[in-house]
Amino acid sequence: MSTALDMPRFVRAKQVEALPPPNLARGPIAWVRENLFSGPFNTVLTLVVFYLLYVSVPPLVRFLFIDAVWTGSDRAACRADSGGSEAGACWAFIWDKINYFIYGSYTISERWRVDVFFALLAIGVAWLLWLRAPRRDLGAVYFFWIFPVVSYILLTGGNADFGVRFWIGFAIFGALLIALFAFVATLLKTSLRPALIMGGGIVAVIGITLALVDIDFGLAPVPTSLWGGILVTLLVATVGIVVSLPFGIVLALGRRSKLPIIRMASVIFIEFVRGVPLITVLIMANTMLPLFLPGDITVDRLLRPLIGTALFASAYMAEVVRGGLQAMPKGQYEGAMSLGLNYPQMMSLIILPQALRIVIPGIVNTFIGLFKDTSLVAIVGIFDLVKTIEASRIDPNWAAPTIGITGYAFAALFYFIFCFGMSRYSLGVERRLAAGQKR
Amino acid sequence: MNSVQTAVSQTSSPKKSVLYDPKVRGIFYQVVLVAAIVFLFYVAATNAIENLQRAKIASGFGFLNNTAGFDISQTLIQFSAAGGTYGDAFVVGLLNTLIVSAIGIFFTTILGFLIGIARLSKNWMVAKVAMVYVEVLRNIPLLVQLLFWYIAVLGTLPQPRNSLEMGAGFYLNSRGLFMAKPIWGANISVIVAALVVGLVGTFLYRRWARKQQEQTGRQYPVGKVTLALILGLPLLAWIVLALAGTNPISFELPRKGTFNLTGGMQILPEFVALLLGLTTYTAAFIAEVVRAGILAVSKGQSEAAGSLGLTPGQTLRLVVIPQAMRVIVPPLTSQYLNLTKNSSLAVAIGYPDLVQVFMGTVLNQTGQAIEVVVITMGVYLTISLVTSFIMNIYNRRVAIVER
């Protein structure tokens, strides 16, 4: 009771002045205080980073832009002793050699063909990577069949000139193949029509491909020894992806197979390739491929590293695809089987469309790695971008102290733009797929 | 299940063709695959034999005993053009690969962890700088980076006579990094013995401490004692010996001559460039691994630790890091493997690693492509397989035990 009587003593009689509002709860200054100077340790850290940036960024900007030489036709512009500037990058050199960096020594009058190849490649990549593009199935056909064939004809000139004997041989082969399909169909007591369609389809695809390569389109032939620069870099990367995706899927399916020998063969191939550096694979392709073929067949010098990189990329792709296959719930397999689908139908209609969708980020990441790895073909003497820069760097016309660093800065910029773009894309896809999962 | 099937097959009228039996089909596919592989190998082998005979190239591994006749710029064992065999050259190359990989792994781990933790820093500036580092280094091919370091940075270093003096006996010039070379005295064995005693003592002490903790719950200062035993004991031995007037380690400093530096230890510019490139490149990947690993430990874990009364330091040391390591270690090992495999890019800048010496010079001199390629790939494959074997054991040990 007494407490109640005492209460009034504790109640203020006078109004207290309101506290001033916390002045730095939001706004740029508060943000800086919270994120950069929230404690003594953080303050020191921030100052150290500021100092590092102060030491590194302004000289870099000065070298790359402010003091850089933008125009000039030979080394005089970039040499101090002949009135030029040595303080900055020599972009005039890049500008002077840009055609060599893009096309290598490709015949000058035929360079429009390379441009068309770049455009076709861009269309194919956009079609496949844009998730909401119309008719993506046609896009796959384009990218994995039409585009390679057209590119081959464009770049080499086509006109393989097989001759009549070859075509007679092909006709016999085709007839035999269709007959084999028909024979198997009768053996299995299934209807003949699908077997004939399948056999005919395979023969038709191969035949059309060969015929296109054989036809003389009037394009002047350009030997691969003249190709170079960004053309070769993109070519190696494209061949890598076009071959490695289907081959990687086959290897991944092989690794998940229940048949022991098929599984073992896939595992051995994958683990073997993943266990050795790419450069050894390239050197192997370079030195051993000619050994393994009959003496009178020579392998094009550009084709050897292409085979090497394609095999190498396939093993890595296989592991990515396997990840997707393993992520598929078992119910999907069981559901497909209970519908009465056979193995190819189950895989191509149910499992792979879902599994591949999950691993798009992984596929793109593999592709980034492959794209960076294409620079290694320079070591086995192929004139890709890095090698063309190497070759231009020692050009006496452009003998200046800043040439080397400028050349590599250009290469670094080129690779960075491509790889960074792809990694952003894969992040975006990842986020989209995750959004579907979250709900 | 089985009884149902037999029941069905008894009632259903036509017996299915044996060709529809999955078992038969499986055997058929596998036979086809084996036949194709055997055929491929057969064709390759016969062609190879024929081509080798035509080119008059010997086969077999006898060439390993032939005199090499070329010099290697960095040798960890005795090797000379006159006396060394191809086999010795192989060992030299292998050791060079291993040493650059080992030192690279050491530095890249430190740098990678630092940057990975920096990416998670609450300090906006630090996090952003770390992110820029990772994005830039990850998206430029290692080869370009190596050439950049080698030609654009190290290539612009001054001639030996104008060497950059970095203090403490370190000099930098176009021939590489020069530093003091330790010369082991006669009684170095005492220090080695002290180190061994320290290691054995640490092992025994840790075992005893763990047993004590399990029985009584008392904790002993394991970390401090380990440091004292392993570092302190040899250091003490050194000091005692030095005071007694018999210093076991002396340093030979590089001296500046008119044209060159003499004495001391020289580290090739190729080695420096390769090490720099490999370390900074791999660190970007390790940083991402570390970041992912730390983020994978759910926030509830550190909250629970806090509610148990652990200090932030203890939370990090006893709760977060052990769980993060479970996620970090497998991809970390694969980054170590990548670094080892990437060290083969040494061939581009002329560091005498296994690929440069063996697949380059030896292959060109002998022409025995098959043997050389098989040996080189075998080495890398062995390293990979041994590492993944150890990894699997580790994984089994740290995996979460699920009921």
Side-chain angles (χ1 to χ4, degrees):
Chain A
M1 281 306 273
S2 63
T3 49
L5 285 174
D6 291 344
M7 274 307 272
R9 281 194 209 163
F10 297 104
V11 177
R12 276 184 198 278
K14 266 199 302 191
Q15 178 108 21
V16 179
E17 235 171 279
L19 281 171
N23 53 351
L24 289 175
R26 49 179 56 182
I29 296 172
W31 183 89
V32 165
R33 226 169 66 168
E34 191 174 320
N35 288 297
L36 298 183
F37 302 103
S38 57
F41 178 68
N42 250 345
T43 309
V44 172
L45 221 54
T46 307
L47 293 179
V48 168
V49 171
F50 264 124
Y51 177 73
L52 283 179
L53 290 181
Y54 171 73
V55 171
S56 58
V57 172
L60 201 66
V61 171
R62 230 175 291 137
F63 181 85
L64 287 179
F65 303 108
I66 299 171
D67 291 341
V69 180
W70 298 91
T71 52
S73 54
D74 64 351
R75 64 187 169 186
C78 297
R79 286 187 78 99
D81 52 12
S82 48
S85 158
E86 282 179 14
C90 187
W91 296 118
F93 159 71
I94 302 291
W95 193 238
D96 188 52
K97 298 269 182 189
I98 189 73
N99 277 327
Y100 182 54
F101 292 155
I102 295 177
Y103 306 103
S105 313
Y106 206 89
T107 320
I108 292 174
S109 57
E110 304 294 327
R111 283 184 179 171
W112 61 270
R113 280 151 57 178
V114 180
D115 295 334
V116 174
F117 162 72
F118 288 153
L120 291 177
L121 176 64
I123 292 171
V125 168
W127 204 344
L128 277 191
L129 292 188
W130 184 29
L131 291 181
R132 279 190 210 154
R135 297 307 305 269
R136 293 183 70 221
D137 49 342
L138 280 186
V141 172
Y142 169 80
F143 196 72
F144 291 98
W145 181 37
I146 299 171
F147 166 65
V149 175
V150 172
S151 303
Y152 176 81
I153 294 165
L154 264 178
L155 291 176
T156 60
N159 192 11
D161 210 11
F162 289 129
V164 181
R165 276 187 59 190
F166 174 85
W167 282 110
I168 295 172
F170 179 75
I172 295 169
F173 162 79
L176 279 177
L177 196 74
I178 294 173
L180 181 72
F181 269 84
F183 174 69
V184 170
T186 47
L187 211 62
L188 294 176
K189 298 193 183 78
T190 56
S191 58
L192 217 51
R193 238 176 70 111
L196 285 180
I197 290 174
M198 209 164 133
I202 291 174
V203 172
V205 166
I206 299 176
I208 292 172
T209 307
L210 290 174
L212 282 172
V213 172
D214 193 26
I215 293 171
D216 184 2
F217 287 98
L219 294 169
V222 182
T224 55
S225 54
L226 294 182
W227 304 11
I230 291 173
L231 163 64
V232 166
T233 294
L234 289 181
L235 186 78
V236 178
T238 313
V239 170
I241 193 92
V242 168
V243 175
S244 73
L245 202 53
F247 198 47
I249 291 173
V250 171
L251 279 172
L253 291 177
R255 195 169 180 165
R256 301 263 298 154
S257 165
K258 287 194 188 71
L259 308 174
I261 292 177
I262 290 181
R263 189 173 58 227
M264 209 171 65
S266 310
V267 169
I268 289 176
F269 178 84
I270 293 171
E271 292 305 327
F272 171 76
V273 172
R274 275 160 39 96
V276 297
L278 172 58
I279 184 69
T280 59
V281 176
L282 288 178
I283 294 178
M284 182 177 95
N286 224 13
T287 55
M288 282 167 70
L289 215 53
L291 276 183
F292 288 154
L293 291 170
D296 48 341
I297 297 179
T298 54
V299 193
D300 188 282
R301 282 199 68 85
L302 181 61
L303 187 63
R304 298 178 198 173
L306 283 183
I307 295 173
T309 33
L311 289 182
F312 190 78
S314 304
Y316 283 82
M317 200 60 90
E319 285 301 275
V320 172
V321 174
R322 184 168 71 110
L325 291 177
Q326 279 177 346
M328 278 294 103
K330 215 170 168 209
Q332 295 290 332
Y333 291 89
E334 290 165 353
M337 280 189 250
S338 70
L339 283 176
L341 303 184
N342 59 24
Y343 182 82
Q345 285 171 332
M346 173 173 80
M347 280 303 162
S348 60
L349 297 175
I350 309 285
I351 303 297
L352 280 177
Q354 298 183 70
L356 288 181
R357 211 179 145 78
I358 309 178
V359 293
I360 288 178
I363 291 174
V364 176
N365 286 343
T366 313
F367 188 49
I368 294 175
L370 172 67
F371 191 74
K372 286 191 293 175
D373 282 345
T374 57
S375 58
L376 263 65
V377 297
I379 295 176
V380 289
I382 303 299
F383 273 79
D384 76 326
L385 178 62
V386 173
K387 187 85 176 173
T388 51
I389 288 172
E390 282 278 88
S392 315
R393 192 169 64 78
I394 49 176
D395 178 2
N397 244 340
W398 279 101
T402 49
I403 292 301
I405 208 164
T406 311
Y408 294 123
F410 173 68
L413 194 69
F414 169 79
Y415 283 106
F416 179 78
I417 290 172
F418 271 74
C419 297
F420 187 70
M422 284 190 277
S423 76
R424 288 297 103 168
Y425 168 81
S426 106
L427 271 185
V429 173
E430 219 168 307
R431 216 166 288 144
R432 250 194 66 179
L433 293 177
Q437 296 284 313
K438 248 188 245 160
R439 263 197 288 278
Chain B
M1 178 84 186
N2 254 335
S3 60
V4 174
Q5 262 182 357
T6 45
V8 166
S9 61
Q10 274 163 7
T11 49
S12 62
S13 43
K15 202 173 180 289
K16 265 191 181 170
S17 161
V18 83
L19 292 168
Y20 278 108
D21 188 346
K23 257 191 205 148
V24 175
R25 282 193 170 189
I27 291 170
F28 172 73
Y29 292 141
Q30 299 191 60
V31 167
V32 167
L33 181 72
V34 169
I37 291 175
V38 167
F39 176 73
L40 219 66
F41 270 89
Y42 172 75
V43 169
T46 46
N47 281 332
I49 290 168
E50 196 180 305
N51 286 329
L52 286 174
Q53 272 173 355
R54 195 179 311 155
K56 295 206 167 53
I57 295 173
S59 55
F61 293 94
F63 72 101
L64 289 173
N65 295 324
N66 297 352
T67 309
F70 63 90
D71 263 321
I72 300 177
S73 54
Q74 176 185 312
T75 53
L76 296 180
I77 58 165
Q78 276 295 323
F79 182 84
S80 65
T85 62
Y86 288 127
D88 294 336
F90 165 75
V91 176
V92 169
L94 178 60
L95 285 176
N96 283 343
T97 290
L98 291 180
I99 192 153
V100 79
S101 308
I103 298 177
I105 284 174
F106 175 75
F107 284 116
T108 203
T109 309
I110 297 174
L111 189 62
F113 270 79
L114 277 180
I115 294 168
I117 293 166
R119 277 210 68 176
L120 293 171
S121 168
K122 283 201 188 82
N123 189 321
W124 183 83
M125 200 78 184
V126 173
K128 283 294 155 190
V129 168
M131 192 192 82
V132 170
Y133 174 91
V134 169
E135 289 299 344
V136 169
L137 274 277
R138 255 197 336 178
N139 285 318
I140 295 173
L142 179 58
L143 181 68
V144 174
Q145 293 188 32
L146 283 180
L147 290 171
F148 175 81
W149 286 116
Y150 183 57
I151 289 159
V153 177
L154 296 179
T156 54
L157 286 175
Q159 290 296 307
R161 72 171 83 178
N162 305 322
S163 297
L164 297 174
E165 207 169 333
M166 301 163 75
F170 284 88
Y171 293 89
L172 199 60
N173 62 40
S174 59
R175 292 194 194 162
L177 182 68
F178 290 79
M179 59 162 121
K181 178 179 175 186
I183 294 176
W184 313 116
N187 41 15
I188 184 74
S189 52
V190 177
I191 293 185
V192 174
L195 186 70
V196 171
V197 169
L199 284 173
V200 173
T202 307
F203 177 71
L204 292 176
Y205 175 75
R206 294 191 98 134
R207 240 177 56 172
W208 176 79
R210 190 181 309 140
K211 211 173 251 173
Q212 286 293 312
Q213 194 186 348
E214 278 167 4
Q215 282 170 2
T216 65
R218 252 193 84 187
Q219 288 185 348
Y220 290 86
V222 176
K224 279 176 202 157
V225 172
T226 303
L227 208 68
L229 280 175
I230 291 181
L231 283 183
L233 219 55
L235 210 66
L236 195 73
W238 187 10
I239 291 170
V240 168
L241 283 172
L243 288 178
T246 52
N247 197 345
I249 305 172
S250 55
F251 289 97
E252 183 193 293
L253 293 175
R255 275 182 311 281
K256 233 171 159 175
T258 10
F259 295 111
N260 203 356
L261 293 165
T262 51
M265 208 153 68
Q266 182 195 3
I267 297 178
L268 293 179
E270 290 83 20
F271 182 86
V272 177
L274 185 63
L275 193 63
L276 265 173
L278 284 176
T279 306
T280 49
Y281 181 75
T282 316
F285 290 87
I286 290 183
E288 284 303 275
V289 168
V290 169
R291 186 177 73 103
I294 293 177
L295 285 180
V297 180
S298 81
K299 211 164 174 207
Q301 292 290 328
S302 31
E303 286 169 358
S307 71
L308 280 178
L310 300 187
T311 64
Q314 282 176 325
T315 307
L316 204 64
R317 197 159 49 84
L318 299 173
V319 178
V320 177
I321 289 180
Q323 296 189 66
M325 282 320 263
R326 184 183 288 155
V327 184
I328 290 174
V329 168
L332 187 66
T333 346
S334 80
Q335 287 308 325
Y336 289 166
L337 273 182
N338 277 348
L339 186 142
T340 310
K341 286 189 281 174
N342 282 337
S343 73
S344 60
L345 289 187
V347 67
I349 57 173
Y351 171 75
D353 83 319
L354 180 61
V355 171
Q356 206 261 348
V357 170
F358 207 57
M359 270 187 142
T361 317
V362 174
L363 175 60
N364 286 339
Q365 283 194 4
T366 62
Q368 294 194 291
I370 300 177
E371 292 87 348
V372 169
V373 168
V374 164
I375 292 176
T376 318
M377 286 189 155
V379 167
Y380 284 106
L381 215 55
T382 313
I383 296 175
S384 296
L385 291 181
V386 168
T387 314
S388 63
F389 178 71
I390 296 172
M391 253 351 284
N392 285 341
I393 294 177
Y394 172 85
N395 258 341
R396 220 169 295 144
R397 270 189 55 180
V398 303
I400 300 174
V401 183
E402 282 177 341
R403 279 176 292 269

